[in-house]
Amino acid sequence: MTAVARVPVVIVGAGPVGVTAALLLARRGVPSVVLERHQDVYPLPRAVAMDDEVRRILQAADVHEEFTALARPANGLRLLDARHRVIGEFRRSGHGHHGFPQTSMFDQPELERLLRKALARRPECELRGGVEVVAIDQNGAGPIRVTFRSDGSESPEYLEADAVLGCDGAASLTREVIGAGWEDLRFEERWSVIDIRTHLPVRCWEGVEQVCDPSRAATFMRIGEDRYRWEFRLRDGEDLDGGRVRELIAPWIKEPYDGDVEVIRQAQYTFRARVADRWHRGRVFLLGDAAHLTPPFIGQGLCAGMRDAYNLAWKLSLVLQQNADERLLDTYEAERKPHARRMIRLAVAMGWAMTGGQGRGAALRRNLVSTACRIPVVREAAGRDLSPALVHSALIRRRGRLGERGLAGTSCPQPWVEIDAGRVRLDALLGDSFAILTAVPAAPWLQALAEGLGAQIVGTDDLGDDGALAAWLRRGQADTALLRPDRVVLDVVPAGADDFTDTATWAPLLCTTREPAEPSLSTPCRGAAPDDHAVRRTLLDAGPGVRSE
């Protein structure tokens, strides 16, 4: 029998989510093989918008500088009535919570080519195009076998992996393999998406326009220097021919065409709202459209998949490389599934509010939207980050006496800071591992804990950030925040307290065997959860060599 090659991770699908997952794993030294049906990137645009949180993920994947040259910051959202009069305007900042413009427009094929070039520079990664995955077999605790066929070949090939990431889209084979079904969030509409290139003058405010017309809801946005997108909701049985398209986009392009309008793509889509009822079985995981489908009304389709990759990559690397507790992987679904469901429901709600829906309540909904847009607090709320805090996880301290102002589960802001090398974004200082931000002197126990986690301690004084991080801690009523590698707050030391609030829950999951160490009787990393002080004592005593046996 021919030996089957074994790799740590196989990624099914080389779209933006799959390639980003490979890059994030490579940053942590985890090799992967990416299997993709197509030889090259899909040439037509699909996703066109991302938020500042996803820009930060591209920074973690070390491609943000190249992406900046491709991205076009957007002003925000305008709601228009059927006669294209402005109902409301919601501005987005050019410097959001995560250190980037809150909304950026881009061309997906350009992003995919950029990501693949970065992948080719990583010796840990291999991309195999022109192959179709036909089976994924997971038997017990052994390796997972992935069966695939190359173009033009009838002979199957095999890989064995310690983990498989299914980034294979809405028709995911991986989802079938793990026995997952869809939870239907009850939204389904047919829309026509039209991408156009033209040098003619186009009425545009450098943001997204949503026409709130129940008879012809529409979305318009500028993507690039000469690239524009329109989306029109279709009536039952309707198709748009060239003449009808010209009529529909006429409010934006007043001049005669004269041949200077190139239709790059016109496609019909059925927008749906769904979440997989299971996101993993063992070490086979779903990411991106394999795990969730959302209407595009808040521009979060690609963003959700990129968050999946960021959330899972660091946890998987700890388990594969440092023998962290296997239960750490359960927190992926526990955190991402409720978050994705909430974002999809928000997209559905925004879609109904902005388009006015179809039915007797359309006029009432439209009037309510118009009235709400005049309320300052509503406009302010719409300009904030859409992404909610993470909940329901052993790695997110349950909110107690700090209430809703607590920092656990939220993302740390990313201001510019001053270091010896010059002015950089915060994450360039923090690196890829855990980090501790503190506004008070670090006690010896905190220094030992940092050593055990491989985290650096960063004081908020003298960072050259105009006090942004210190103010963030004060608003959260915390002296110190423990940041996960994805920059989500794991736990805090409340103001005036002398310890983290919930180490007994999260510390056992992070016990690793990064370096050999003598066993310790005070190292209860598996089995029954020890009390808070026992776990903290474990990390202090064992340091970077905490054992999990």
Side-chain angles (χ1 to χ4, degrees), residues 27-160:
R27 290 271 298 211
R28 292 168 170 80
V30 179
S32 65
V33 174
V34 185
L35 303 177
E36 168 58 42
R37 285 191 306 159
H38 304 289
Q39 290 286 1
D40 201 356
V41 302
Y42 186 72
L44 299 179
R46 288 166 291 172
V48 295
M50 70 171 59
D51 58 26
D52 55 323
E53 184 177 356
V54 177
R55 290 285 297 268
R56 191 174 189 175
I57 296 172
L58 294 181
Q59 178 187 358
D62 201 24
V63 296
H64 65 294
E65 296 291 352
E66 296 96 324
F67 181 75
T68 298
L70 307 178
R72 189 181 192 94
N75 284 336
L77 172 69
R78 266 184 179 172
L79 304 183
L80 310 179
D81 65 14
R83 297 171 60 184
H84 288 222
R85 297 172 299 187
V86 176
I87 299 174
E89 183 176 297
F90 305 102
R91 289 273 178 173
R92 304 293 278 169
S93 169
H95 187 84
H97 181 83
H98 297 275
F100 296 95
Q102 282 186 297
T103 302
S104 297
M105 313 304 294
F106 66 97
D107 180 72
Q108 182 170 335
E110 290 184 342
L111 170 63
E112 292 198 36
R113 283 189 284 269
L114 183 157
L115 289 170
R116 289 197 182 193
K117 287 180 181 178
L119 196 73
R121 296 193 296 264
R122 302 295 314 206
E124 304 90 345
C125 304
E126 179 185 357
L127 171 61
R128 298 188 188 180
V131 302
E132 181 181 4
V133 175
V134 296
I136 301 171
D137 299 305
Q138 181 176 218
N139 296 315
I144 303 160
R145 173 168 286 207
V146 179
T147 306
F148 60 96
R149 289 192 178 93
S150 300
D151 285 348
S153 174
E154 293 296 325
S155 301
E157 300 177 66
Y158 306 95
L159 283 172
E160 288 187 344

